[in-house]
Amino acid sequence: MLNISDEDRQILAVGRFEHPHPRVQRKMEAVYLTSMGVSRREVARLVQRTGRTVRSYMAEAERLGITLLWLPTYSPNLNLIERLWKFVKAECLHGRYYATFAPFKQAIID
């Protein structure tokens, strides 16, 4: 049985409608409804998937020991490219002008 906190349930309740990919929305909906105590048969009907598919979602999550970690919609501190961009701005761009790309590239390499 997946253990999902009340806080995670609230996040799922919103995220299941906001994710851009419909398949992920459907899986999030299945996990949310299951965490709310809805029977798997009813979950399958609501997410328009077979009971077997819903069981496979849950079995796979349990088998893998998946722990749901929720990140904020915008979390630059957790995105490595954002950290790199912050470094480039501070070390290579702040107070400097590069007339062409070549010196800018060299400043990053140095």
Side-chain angles (χ1 to χ4, degrees):
M1 177 79 182
L2 290 175
N3 293 321
I4 299 175
S5 70
D6 289 337
E7 181 182 343
D8 290 341
R9 248 185 229 111
Q10 290 173 349
I11 293 168
L12 262 175
V14 174
R16 64 195 167 134
F17 296 114
E18 294 180 353
H19 196 281
H21 198 285
R23 287 185 185 160
V24 174
Q25 282 182 352
R26 206 167 274 163
K27 286 182 181 183
M28 289 177 73
E29 179 77 1
V31 171
Y32 172 74
L33 292 171
T34 302
S35 75
M36 296 300 291
V38 177
S39 72
R40 289 198 178 154
R41 180 180 223 174
E42 188 65 11
V43 169
R45 186 185 69 77
L46 292 169
V47 297
Q48 300 174 350
R49 289 291 178 255
T50 64
R52 177 183 232 155
T53 301
V54 172
R55 277 193 305 276
S56 74
Y57 293 167
M58 300 309 147
E60 189 71 9
E62 289 175 31
R63 184 182 69 76
L64 294 173
I66 290 175
T67 301
L68 300 176
L69 299 175
W70 301 104
L71 301 176
T73 304
Y74 179 70
S75 52
N77 56 324
L78 300 174
N79 188 340
L80 294 178
I81 197 67
E82 294 287 349
R83 292 181 185 182
L84 176 63
W85 178 238
K86 181 179 179 180
F87 172 79
V88 167
K89 285 194 309 186
E91 298 296 321
C92 302
L93 293 177
H94 185 73
R96 294 181 182 91
Y97 169 75
Y98 301 101
T100 63
F101 182 73
F104 171 68
K105 182 178 173 183
Q106 190 58 45
I108 292 174
I109 292 170
D110 293 341

